Amino acid sequence: MKKKALITGITGQDGGHLAQLLHKKGYKIYGIIRGQSNPKREQIENEFPYVELIEADLIDQSSLVRAFQACKPDEVYNLGAISHVGYSFKDPQITAEITGKGVVNMLEAIRLTDSDNKVRFYQASTSEMFGGTDYNRPKKGYNEDSPFHPRSPYGVAKLYGHWITKNYRESYGMYALSGILFNHEGERRGIEFVTRKITDGVAKIKAGKQKFIELGDLWPKRDWGYAGDYVEGMWLMLQQDKPKDYVLATGEAHTIEEFLDIAFREVGINDWRPYVKQNPAFMRPAEVDYLLGDPSRAEKELGWERKVDFPGLVKLMVQHDLKLQLDK
Ligand code: GDP
């Protein structure tokens, strides 16, 4: 019998990478998609014909119960969320509803439908829960035991999801865990994130279609890895005997300026300054200065490995976006 996986957030970056991975592993895959005439539906159907889409919504408990009854999954990956930090300041309530309360809706739907208590549940937790403050960051980077200090409505909502997952594990003995993932990027990243905004801009500048890129603060540091490597880690977490939370990170942090250096050099531009303008509109009410993660536990216990390093990630994204410009 094929194993069955249900993915929320199938239209997002990680949903796409995970669908490819689970397909390779021989899973039957179901994806939850929102509402009538979702513009992303056709794109998903074309790219992932092997994914069966089910209409449901993270804020509609009964639709989730119906989804679980319809597909009876073995593994559930809850990747659906309002996932953009900047946006969460503009719409904190919706972020709380979907990113936070959506998690308990999923867990309750499982509890109501999974009488054998067999489902394995993955919650997409995030490094934004640590908040980038100095006092709680160990030298080697944040780990599974570091205290949380979220600095955005997104981080706060994710923290609720994190704790309610732990609570269901402890209260009901559910196989439920969280992966605390540091920033992970790639060719599927949305343009609203700084990495893709830069590589898309670089490709358009190279193609003569854009003059400069407008950005906010350039000094924040992020621990950026490749999303394709991170979905492998998600899957590994759900294959362990006992459910446990894990940090996935690279253990290296870089500034946005360093990202710009490599991205522009990839198209033969050594000084990016003439091509970047700062715009306060892209600055945040509270900034997360420095995110660095310590992936030791995942490396040791899961045997998790990364194939793409930081320069490799930037180059891969620039090359992908250059090709998109050439194909146009
Ligand atoms: P995040 O770490 O989940 O918030 O991922 P982002 O890619 O959205 O942001 C990473 C860092 O880039 C943050 O410190 C942002 O403040 C900073 N940043 C600077 N300019 C921009 C911009 O134009 N867009 C975005 N999204 N972030 C920017």
Side-chain angles (χ1 to χ4, degrees):
M1 276 268 278
K2 267 190 169 188
K3 263 198 182 173
K4 291 188 281 187
L6 175 69
I7 303 174
T8 73
I10 190 73
T11 59
Q13 166 182 261
D14 292 0
H17 281 289
L18 184 64
Q20 285 171 334
L21 177 78
L22 296 181
H23 181 59
K24 256 193 267 155
K25 293 191 182 292
Y27 278 69
K28 166 78 188 155
I29 306 164
Y30 299 87
I32 284 187
I33 190 154
R34 243 178 322 143
Q36 206 180 352
S37 14
N38 186 324
K40 288 192 176 160
R41 186 180 190 111
E42 201 181 324
Q43 182 196 327
I44 297 294
E45 283 172 342
N46 288 337
E47 197 176 358
F48 310 111
Y50 47 81
V51 173
E52 194 169 314
L53 294 174
I54 301 178
E55 271 179 29
D57 196 314
L58 282 173
I59 57 176
D60 174 1
Q61 170 81 67
S62 62
S63 75
L64 295 176
V65 169
R66 285 196 298 277
F68 280 100
Q69 282 167 337
C71 69
K72 301 195 169 50
D74 301 293
E75 293 175 12
V76 177
Y77 296 85
N78 187 36
L79 314 181
I82 298 278
S83 66
H84 191 250
V85 172
Y87 177 80
S88 78
F89 282 101
K90 297 189 181 117
D91 227 330
Q93 281 108 339
I94 284 286
T95 305
E97 278 293 327
I98 298 172
T99 306
K101 200 172 158 225
V103 185
V104 77
N105 289 342
M106 286 291 284
L107 289 163
E108 270 299 284
I110 294 174
R111 213 167 65 81
L112 291 168
T113 54
D114 178 31
S115 49
D116 301 333
N117 205 8
K118 280 222 171 94
V119 172
R120 295 187 169 205
F121 178 79
Y122 174 89
Q123 167 59 16
S125 284
T126 163
S127 52
E128 287 292 326
M129 300 185 315
F130 297 121
T133 40
D134 284 334
Y135 77 89
N136 61 343
R137 182 179 48 238
K139 243 205 184 104
K140 276 185 74 186
Y142 296 107
N143 59 43
E144 294 79 1
D145 301 318
S146 303
F148 298 116
H149 184 151
R151 284 168 61 77
S152 64
Y154 167 73
V156 173
K158 278 285 184 186
L159 196 50
Y160 173 78
H162 185 75
W163 281 112
I164 199 72
T165 300
K166 214 185 252 283
N167 179 251
Y168 270 56
R169 176 164 85 218
E170 291 172 357
S171 306
Y172 306 114
M174 278 174 65
Y175 192 111
L177 58 78
S178 297
I180 308 173
L181 270 53
F182 282 66
N183 296 52
H184 44 289
E185 318 291 315
E187 66 277 27
R188 297 184 167 279
R189 198 49 148 157
I191 208 88
E192 67 275 29
F193 290 86
V194 77
T195 53
R196 189 74 195 282
K197 186 172 174 182
I198 292 171
T199 61
D200 171 74
V202 165
K204 285 180 178 151
I205 288 168
K206 181 71 185 172
K209 293 178 190 165
Q210 191 174 312
K211 293 220 159 46
F212 51 84
I213 310 172
E214 281 191 69
L215 297 172
D217 290 320
L218 303 182
W219 44 263
K221 280 186 164 178
R222 287 292 181 275
D223 181 330
W224 277 300
Y226 178 53
D229 291 338
Y230 285 51
V231 296
E232 184 89 39
M234 294 178 188
W235 176 79
L236 281 169
M237 286 179 213
L238 285 196
Q239 311 313 309
Q240 306 307 304
D241 291 339
K242 290 218 167 75
K244 203 168 170 184
D245 303 334
Y246 289 94
V247 161
L248 298 185
T250 70
E252 270 179 44
H254 299 274
T255 60
I256 295 157
E257 294 192 337
E258 288 173 76
F259 195 102
L260 286 164
D261 280 338
I262 302 175
F264 273 94
R265 281 215 191 99
E266 187 64 7
V267 297
I269 298 173
N270 288 327
D271 182 10
W272 47 262
R273 279 167 186 84
Y275 301 96
V276 172
K277 283 192 183 169
Q278 278 196 285
N279 182 342
F282 298 110
M283 294 172 186
R284 292 165 182 179
E287 182 55 90
V288 169
D289 299 347
Y290 177 22
L291 286 178
L292 173 70
D294 173 6
S296 308
R297 183 195 273 180
E299 287 172 346
K300 200 164 139 241
E301 296 182 13
L302 306 175
W304 181 61
E305 287 176 347
R306 292 170 303 285
K307 298 181 187 83
V308 181
D309 63 5
F310 177 64
L313 168 69
V314 183
K315 289 175 187 175
L316 166 160
M317 291 177 71
V318 171
Q319 287 302 334
H320 172 85
D321 285 340
L322 279 175
K323 193 166 172 302
L324 283 185
Q325 290 305 320
L326 287 178
D327 290 348
K328 269 185 188 160

